[in-house]
Amino acid sequence: MRLIFVLLLVLGIRMCAMASRHDYRNALAKSILFFEGQRSGKLPAGQRAKWRGDSALSDGAEAGVDLAGGYYDAGDNVKFGFPMAFTATMLSWSVIEFGELMPAAELRHAAAAIRWATDYLLKTLSLPGVIFVQVGNPISDHSCWERPEDMDTARTVYNVTADRPGSEVAGETAAALAAASMVFRDIDPGYSDKLMENARRAFEFADAYKGAYSDDPGLKAGVCPFYCDFDGYQDELLWGAAWLRRASQDDSFLNYIQNNGKILGADDNINEFGWDNKHAGLNVLVSKEFMEGGVLSLESYKGFADSFMCTLIPESASSHIQYTPGGLIYKPGGSNMQHVTSISFLLLTYANYLSKSSQTVNCGSVQVAPASLQLQAKRQIDYLLGDNPMNMSYMVGYGGKYPKRIHHRGSSLPSVSTHPQLISCKDGSDYYKSPEPNVNRHVGAVVGGPGEDDVYEDNRVDFRKSEPTTYINAPLVGALAYFVANPDAGLVLT
């Protein structure tokens, strides 16, 4: 068995020449600031993204509830609950694993970003037997190019109930609130308790009324094709239970994982992780309790996590994740940076678990050390920040060259602070089609990124490449926090 500390052949670099040149602290600060540009609702006095204003203050009115707040998921003005809950989970996981490495100011801003999401998620649970999962009609919204402060499209409210279940949204909401309860345990114990109480309620709903929300014709018309449940709700049930176990240490959730793992597809070993598919993240999360806590019944999750990591190791016999010629993880379908940031986060988190338990990744004839995983993640994050064939950063405002024509309504239209007059639905079309840079710099926004050929055209119309999303940035916060404290992680000189 060979022990690989660093994959020199894979990465094609000289270790002695790879001391970091990136300002990870600056990138971290900007990656968190991004969330302020995505805020919906009444903005706080300390709002730093000054080009934004209050918006969607009456959200929920048609259902008789207050659903103001939360985040717009991307460059539009819809609040999709499924990816918003995943964003909150990943922001919280970022702080749980790497918060102690963040500068104090950024830790405060990260907690504020989490709370902006969880305050909204609590509102979605305000009525018994109902979970509100979306605000805004995406068809009418996407037919307009207007600022969120001006929007006059239908703010349709969508919900799940016992008769119209949505286990994936409810399970992800449970995960988000449970993870966030850990973040606020010392900061605001009362709020932490409230989050945990509601996490349990959301999970009970998800488990009692099993089903996918996009199976309902009425909901499907609103959530698809944008955030359909393509991969089933079973992984979110295990994911929610795993986070409730991590946050509460309640044995009932450990029993749930042990008793339901096979039924809910834990053995499927799907090498995906994102807003719709939690398998790889679930395996990393649960493996911690086996490696550090010695819970032998969870050993298979370590094996599944290893299997996923082996797809990133070209010298292993596993089938491999695709890379661009320049070395970026690549999955077809658009918004590729979501895969880059989420996988980088898992690499670093799993490396930490392995290090603490003095274990390695088992790839058959190849044993991979934690330092190799850290170096893989560094390669991806550095590519995002500018070490790529285009010689550009894919984070707005970071570095000397970065995207200036991102697919984002509020960023591309004049700010309400400088242009208070209404810009109606179709009046924004000229800004959408304009070749000029966006008038408001959405600092910290990370776009979908280049194609499989490493080429990026900086074209606002090409939303698959130029649109930022909250779930691209959320795991990036954790990865950048790690590199703030460990800028040369994995660079073991031999």
Side-chain angles (χ1 to χ4, degrees):
M1 294 274 210
R2 288 173 295 152
L3 185 63
I4 299 178
F5 288 97
V6 193
L7 299 178
L8 295 175
L9 293 177
V10 176
L11 301 177
I13 52 177
R14 293 184 179 179
M15 309 313 299
C16 60
M18 190 159 171
S20 176
R21 64 177 180 82
H22 287 294
D23 187 345
Y24 296 116
R25 181 169 182 163
N26 178 262
L28 171 64
K30 288 174 176 173
S31 71
I32 299 170
L33 175 60
F34 160 75
F35 289 95
E36 296 193 16
Q38 297 299 118
R39 283 172 170 169
S40 179
K42 178 72 175 176
L43 300 183
Q47 171 79 7
R48 294 177 295 162
K50 299 298 185 182
W51 51 275
R52 282 296 321 283
D54 299 340
S55 63
L57 298 180
S58 60
D59 273 2
E62 76 165 39
V65 293
D66 173 15
L67 293 176
Y71 290 115
Y72 304 115
D73 71 301
D76 55 21
N77 300 324
V78 182
K79 295 191 306 202
F80 294 97
F82 195 14
M84 193 193 308
F86 179 68
T87 294
T89 305
M90 293 310 298
L91 272 173
S92 297
W93 200 3
S94 290
V95 170
I96 291 165
E97 299 295 345
F98 304 116
E100 64 182 14
L101 306 179
M102 294 182 183
E106 300 318 321
L107 182 57
R108 287 194 301 272
H109 291 313
I114 294 166
R115 189 160 188 158
W116 196 266
T118 54
D119 280 353
Y120 173 80
L121 293 176
L122 290 173
K123 291 181 177 183
T124 69
L125 298 168
S126 59
L127 294 184
V130 178
I131 299 180
F132 296 99
V133 299
Q134 185 172 314
V135 181
N137 182 312
I139 305 303
S140 59
D141 179 90
H142 289 185
S143 71
C144 295
W145 195 261
E146 59 184 348
R147 303 174 296 196
E149 295 84 0
D150 288 335
M151 65 177 158
D152 47 12
T153 53
R155 301 303 289 171
T156 308
V157 176
Y158 302 83
N159 64 58
V160 295
T161 64
D163 297 327
R164 188 173 56 249
S167 295
E168 66 286 272
V169 186
E172 187 62 62
T173 299
L177 297 178
S181 76
M182 297 180 67
V183 173
F184 290 99
R185 188 166 291 160
D186 296 327
I187 302 171
D188 188 339
Y191 187 65
S192 175
D193 291 344
K194 183 177 182 180
L195 293 172
M196 177 55 70
E197 175 188 347
N198 281 274
R200 290 176 181 270
R201 286 182 53 221
F203 182 77
E204 289 168 3
F205 181 97
D207 190 45
Y209 309 113
K210 293 182 178 69
Y213 76 151
S214 52
D215 286 347
D216 177 82
L219 284 171
K220 184 175 183 178
V223 304
C224 295
F226 314 103
Y227 295 103
C228 280
D229 181 353
F230 296 103
D231 293 309
Y233 62 83
Q234 293 85 352
D235 52 329
E236 277 82 25
L237 288 175
L238 289 172
W239 178 245
W243 271 111
L244 280 158
R245 167 61 179 175
R246 174 85 180 263
S248 69
Q249 290 300 297
D250 186 331
D251 285 344
S252 68
F253 296 110
L254 175 59
N255 294 336
Y256 185 94
I257 296 168
Q258 293 169 326
N259 296 335
N260 294 281
K262 290 185 181 295
I263 298 171
L264 295 175
D267 291 346
D268 291 351
N269 194 24
I270 300 171
N271 294 319
E272 295 280 349
F273 185 52
W275 60 264
D276 186 35
N277 195 315
K278 308 307 184 306
H279 280 278
L282 170 70
N283 292 332
V284 168
L285 178 65
V286 176
S287 70
K288 174 183 171 67
E289 191 154 6
F290 163 68
M291 288 191 284
E292 297 181 19
V295 181
L296 297 181
S297 63
L298 302 178
E299 183 176 7
S300 63
Y301 289 88
K302 201 271 184 184
F304 296 144
D306 279 3
S307 178
F308 174 68
M309 297 299 159
C310 293
T311 68
L312 303 168
I313 308 299
E315 287 199 0
S316 78
S318 303
S319 58
H320 296 121
I321 283 178
Q322 180 181 348
Y323 290 86
T324 68
L328 186 71
I329 289 170
Y330 184 79
K331 288 180 175 285
S335 193
N336 182 61
M337 282 299 179
Q338 66 177 304
H339 306 299
V340 173
T341 61
S342 62
I343 290 173
S344 296
F345 177 87
L346 291 184
L347 283 164
L348 295 171
T349 300
Y350 198 54
N352 271 4
Y353 297 167
L354 292 168
S355 295
K356 290 177 182 177
S357 57
S358 300
Q359 297 197 44
T360 58
V361 178
N362 180 6
C363 296
S365 62
V366 176
Q367 295 292 309
V368 182
S372 181
L373 304 185
Q374 292 162 349
L375 190 57
Q376 291 274 32
K378 179 176 169 60
R379 169 79 168 176
Q380 297 303 307
I381 299 305
D382 286 355
Y383 183 112
L384 185 156
L385 294 177
D387 293 358
N388 56 64
M390 296 291 293
N391 292 311
M392 69 179 293
S393 159
Y394 289 104
M395 176 187 287
V396 175
Y398 179 86
K401 180 183 178 184
Y402 51 80
K404 293 181 171 61
R405 298 163 187 84
I406 68 173
H407 184 94
H408 192 280
R409 287 159 175 75
S411 172
S412 67
L413 292 159
S415 170
V416 291
S417 64
T418 59
H419 189 286
Q421 297 81 12
L422 174 72
I423 301 176
S424 63
C425 172
K426 298 301 182 182
D427 289 344
S429 298
D430 290 342
Y431 293 94
Y432 172 67
K433 298 173 184 176
S434 171
E436 297 301 314
N438 288 14
V439 292
N440 304 305
R441 191 172 62 162
H442 196 350
V443 175
V446 177
V447 296
E452 59 185 330
D453 56 359
D454 293 301
V455 174
Y456 183 80
E457 294 86 2
D458 199 12
N459 179 0
R460 188 179 299 111
V461 176
D462 188 359
F463 64 91
R464 290 178 176 83
K465 292 183 177 181
S466 64
E467 187 170 22
T469 72
T470 58
Y471 46 88
I472 291 176
N473 275 56
L476 179 62
V477 168
L480 289 171
Y482 176 80
F483 288 121
V484 167
N486 303 277
D488 298 320
L491 301 185
V492 181
L493 300 179
T494 57

